[in-house]
Amino acid sequence: MAHEADRAAGRVDTTRAHSARVYDYILGGKDHYQVDIDAGRAMCAEWPALPVHMRANRAFMQRAARHLARAEGIRQFLDIGTGLPTSPNLHEVVQAERPDAGVVYVDNDPIVLAHAEALLTSAPEGRTAYVDADLRDPGAIIGSAGFRSVLDPGEPVGLMVIGMLHFILPPEDHVLLRRLLDPLPPGSFLAATIGTADFAPQEVGRVAREYERRRMPMKLRTRAEAESFFDGLDLVPPGLCQVHHWRPEPGEPVCDDRDIAMYGALARKR
């Protein structure tokens, strides 16, 4: 990965905030720039609950992945919009249940690429790969060497699209998601979280305007709009809900609904 990290350094735009780096800053990471700090501070000023919301989103990812590995027998995963490495990463979660699990990570931020070695620390029995690609180009993901080397096309896949769909604007949002799902065999699963302003419309609306002002436009969905991403799939109980209500585990923080602006669900492909 060393030459790829060097190549990534030349692609970094330090004049423009990136959602993965803003997320890293707000959650206390260290891989971001001043432009990301400025954006994160402005967003938290508009909605102080933003860090709570982001932690709940990541906790959903961990619970959904753990359920897939433990209860559904899924042992290969495709993670779209990985973000900067933050332990436990997806492969650490699923390989704790199934050491032979394989994970393909996908992101388009050169900073994530530069740190991708931290995502490749697989258990000896398992496999991980990193694909430098964009959700908006599903063909590049499905056709990548990393995808082909880790994922068996004949076995079900856990497709993880966490904290990404609100950055994909209509009308391409549903089309792109289906282009990722279509090549996956029956018995595969989609785990996704979708931003909403249903529970704190004024505060979350101001955060969305900050994102847009910084050239990161987003589309916040109503419950019905969020649920439509799972049309034709079989929702796993409890179905679509705010992420902190999806199978919470003992000891997890109790959140006020007004502090969580994300729907989440897990669904099986027929």
Side-chain angles (χ1 to χ4, degrees), residues 56-133:
N57 180 63
R58 186 161 184 85
F60 168 89
M61 179 276 287
Q62 294 169 4
R63 294 195 306 274
R66 192 175 297 116
H67 173 84
L68 287 175
R70 180 185 296 170
E72 305 289 354
I74 299 299
R75 61 187 188 91
Q76 48 184 15
F77 295 80
L78 177 60
D79 185 33
I80 307 295
T82 296
L84 285 149
T86 304
S87 190
N89 293 297
L90 177 60
H91 71 279
E92 295 169 317
V93 174
V94 299
Q95 289 180 352
E97 304 294 331
R98 290 184 165 268
D100 64 341
V103 177
V104 175
Y105 291 109
V106 180
D107 207 293
N108 69 339
D109 182 7
I111 289 293
V112 179
L113 173 60
H115 291 271
E117 285 187 9
L119 299 171
L120 304 179
T121 56
S122 172
E125 305 93 325
R127 306 154 324 281
T128 59
Y130 182 85
V131 176
D132 181 26

Side-chain angles (χ1 to χ4, degrees), residues 178-201:
R178 286 294 159 181
R179 286 180 61 196
L180 287 170
L181 271 171
D182 284 349
L184 306 183
S188 295
F189 286 83
L190 169 65
T193 61
I194 302 110
T196 184
D198 283 358
F199 303 94

